[in-house]
Amino acid sequence: MIELRKIYFLCLTILLPFLGFGQNFSLSGRVMDFDSREYIEGASVTLRNTVYGDLSNGAGYFLIENILSQKYNLAITLPGYNTYEQIIQLKGDLNLGNIYLVRFGSEGTGAALQKTIRATNVSRLLVERPNFIGNTIYGIAPEPKKLEGNFYLDNKWNVASILLYRDQTVLEGFRVRYNINSNTFELMEPENNLVSTMAGLRIQNIVWMDSSYKVPRYFVNGMDFKEDNVPISGFFEVLVEGDLPLMRRTKAIFKESNYNTALMVGNRNDQIIKRNVYYYLKGKDLFEVPKKRKELFKIFGEKAAEMQAFVEENEMDLKKNGSIFQLFTNYNSRFPGFVPIMNQLLDEGD
C-alpha cells in the first residue's frame, strides 16, 4: 500500500506542471495590404520558435488551432513586404482582426513607418487589455488611431486616353485613378463599370480630362527620363511644354502620429501627405527646379537676365509654385511654335 502511494505521488509530481496547460486555443485573423486594403494570399503566419503556423488563404484569413496557453511572438512574412511582428498572450481563442502588411519601397516605409507599425501592434494589445494601461485612472483604452488621406493622385475618376508601350496601343473611354504609392492605374470600363488595375510600367503616357477643372492634364512615364543617370519610377505631369519643359511629380509621404497621450497634444492619427516637386527637362535628363533665385535664373542660359527682369517687373514671389509656372511659360513663349498646355497651375494649394 505504501509503495502504491509513492507511485501515485510520483506520477502526480510529474504530471502537475502539465495540468495547467490542458486547454488548447485558436488564433485567427486576416492579412491585408496596407496601401490597397486588398486581401493577401500566401502570407506565412508563424509563432516564432514553435511548430505552430499557417498560410493566409485567398480571402486573407489564417487559422492556427490547438495552441497551448502562453505568450508567443507572432510573425507574418511575405516576399516584398515588411515583416509584421506582435507579442500575444493566449488565454483563450483570439481573433486579431485585420492585420496590414506594408510593401518594400513604399514612400515613407522606413524606420518611422516601422515604428508606427509596432506602435499599432502595442495599441491593439492595450485595447484588448484596457485595464492594463491607456487611461490609467478610469481604465479606458485609448481610441485606436486612423489613417487620414489616401495614395491617389486624384481620388476622383477621370475620363482618359491611354498610350501603351506595347505596339503603341491607345485605350480610349476608360475612367482612371492613379495610385502614387504602388505606381498602378485603376481602370473603370465605360460600359459595365468593372474595375481592373494596370501597372504603370506598361503605360507610356496618359491624358485625362480633370473632372474638377474640366481641362486636359498630361502625364508621362518617368522611365523615359533620367535623374542622376537613373530612370525614374512613377509619372510626371507636363505643365509647360517647349524648349525647357516644366514638369511636376506628386509624392505621397507617410507621416506618423505625434500624439502625446499624457499631454493630450499633437495629431492622433497617421497621415498621408501629398507634396509636389517641380522639375525642368533638358533632353532626357530631369533636374529639380532650384530653390535659390540665383541658381534658378542660371538654368535659362543667355536669357537669364531677361527672366530676372520679368520677375522683378511683375513683383513675382518665386516661393509660390504659381510664379514658377508663369516664369517657365514666359520663357518658353519666347521660342517659335510655343503652344500653352494650360493657362494656370492646377492644384496650386497642394
Side-chain angles (χ1 to χ4, degrees):
M1 189 67 176
I2 296 176
E3 293 299 323
L4 288 176
R5 287 182 179 176
K6 287 183 179 180
I7 295 173
Y8 171 78
F9 282 114
L10 179 60
C11 293
L12 183 62
T13 303
I14 295 173
L15 295 175
L16 187 60
F18 297 95
L19 294 179
F21 298 94
Q23 286 184 294
N24 293 344
F25 302 108
S26 66
L27 177 67
S28 59
R30 172 181 265 186
V31 186
M32 302 180 69
D33 185 287
F34 178 83
D35 300 329
S36 66
R37 293 304 197 260
E38 294 179 351
Y39 311 132
I40 294 179
E41 180 179 6
S44 175
V45 184
T46 60
L47 300 180
R48 290 195 184 278
N49 302 317
T50 74
V51 297
Y52 301 118
D54 191 20
L55 293 176
S56 59
N57 63 20
Y61 288 111
F62 66 87
L63 174 64
I64 306 175
E65 297 180 299
N66 298 318
I67 311 173
L68 295 177
S69 174
Q70 64 183 65
K71 183 184 289 186
Y72 295 97
N73 185 359
L74 170 70
I76 303 179
T77 59
L78 183 69
Y81 286 82
N82 290 278
T83 298
Y84 176 101
E85 293 193 22
Q86 177 178 346
I87 302 297
I88 60 171
Q89 181 70 52
L90 201 63
K91 296 181 179 180
D93 292 340
L94 178 59
N95 186 337
L96 296 175
N98 294 335
I99 298 176
Y100 298 99
L101 298 188
V102 182
R103 288 182 181 273
F104 289 138
S106 296
E107 195 75 46
T109 57
L113 184 51
Q114 287 297 317
K115 180 181 177 182
T116 302
I117 294 171
R118 294 190 179 95
T120 303
N121 299 342
V122 173
S123 176
R124 183 179 291 108
L125 287 175
L126 300 184
V127 171
E128 291 168 358
R129 296 180 292 170
N131 293 322
F132 176 70
I133 197 169
N135 187 320
T136 56
I137 298 177
Y138 300 102
I140 301 175
E143 180 183 350
K145 61 182 176 181
K146 302 176 183 177
L147 181 65
E148 298 177 353
N150 58 71
F151 285 107
Y152 291 109
L153 179 63
D154 184 348
N155 196 38
K156 300 180 291 295
W157 294 92
N158 300 284
V159 177
S161 176
I162 304 167
L163 175 64
L164 303 181
Y165 280 109
R166 185 174 181 179
D167 301 327
Q168 296 293 284
T169 303
V170 177
L171 304 180
E172 297 280 3
F174 285 87
R175 285 181 287 167
V176 303
R177 294 195 304 186
Y178 176 57
N179 188 309
I180 301 168
N181 192 58
S182 61
N183 190 26
T184 57
F185 285 87
E186 296 177 4
L187 281 63
M188 182 181 294
E189 297 182 15
E191 296 181 358
N192 51 24
N193 291 336
L194 292 177
V195 177
S196 59
T197 60
M198 181 177 293
L201 56 85
R202 295 181 56 191
I203 298 175
Q204 183 170 357
N205 60 58
I206 183 169
V207 182
W208 75 43
M209 181 61 66
D210 189 278
S211 57
S212 297
Y213 294 90
K214 307 303 179 184
V215 296
R217 298 175 66 176
Y218 301 82
F219 299 88
V220 292
N221 199 323
M223 294 194 304
D224 291 330
F225 308 101
K226 293 183 178 180
E227 183 181 17
D228 297 328
N229 294 319
V230 178
I232 308 167
S233 175
F235 279 74
F236 290 75
E237 182 175 6
V238 182
L239 302 174
V240 182
E241 183 60 281
D243 188 72
L244 193 67
L246 177 66
M247 305 170 75
R248 174 171 65 187
R249 185 186 186 190
T250 303
K251 297 183 178 181
I253 310 297
F254 183 94
K255 184 178 180 181
E256 66 175 319
S257 167
N258 60 357
Y259 186 73
N260 187 310
T261 305
L263 300 177
M264 293 187 292
V265 295
N267 195 325
R268 184 182 297 275
N269 297 325
D270 295 330
Q271 296 175 301
I272 297 172
I273 300 174
K274 298 186 181 76
R275 294 176 180 170
N276 292 322
V277 182
Y278 291 82
Y279 295 82
Y280 63 96
L281 180 66
K282 280 192 173 182
K284 290 290 185 179
D285 295 317
L286 281 164
F287 303 91
E288 189 170 341
V289 174
K291 301 294 184 183
K292 296 181 180 180
R293 290 170 60 97
K294 185 177 180 180
E295 298 299 321
L296 174 60
F297 292 127
K298 281 184 180 180
I299 70 176
F300 298 111
E302 60 184 20
K303 295 187 182 295
E306 296 179 40
M307 303 317 300
Q308 184 172 354
F310 171 74
V311 169
E312 293 173 353
E313 289 171 5
N314 292 276
E315 300 180 348
M316 297 169 60
D317 183 0
L318 294 179
K319 293 182 180 180
K320 295 182 177 180
N321 297 327
S323 296
I324 297 296
F325 171 80
Q326 294 176 36
L327 181 63
F328 274 80
T329 300
N330 182 273
Y331 173 82
N332 287 288
S333 68
R334 297 168 185 262
F335 296 87
F338 171 74
V339 177
I341 294 177
M342 57 183 69
N343 295 321
Q344 68 179 51
L345 182 63
L346 304 185
D347 300 328
E348 186 178 349
D350 285 357

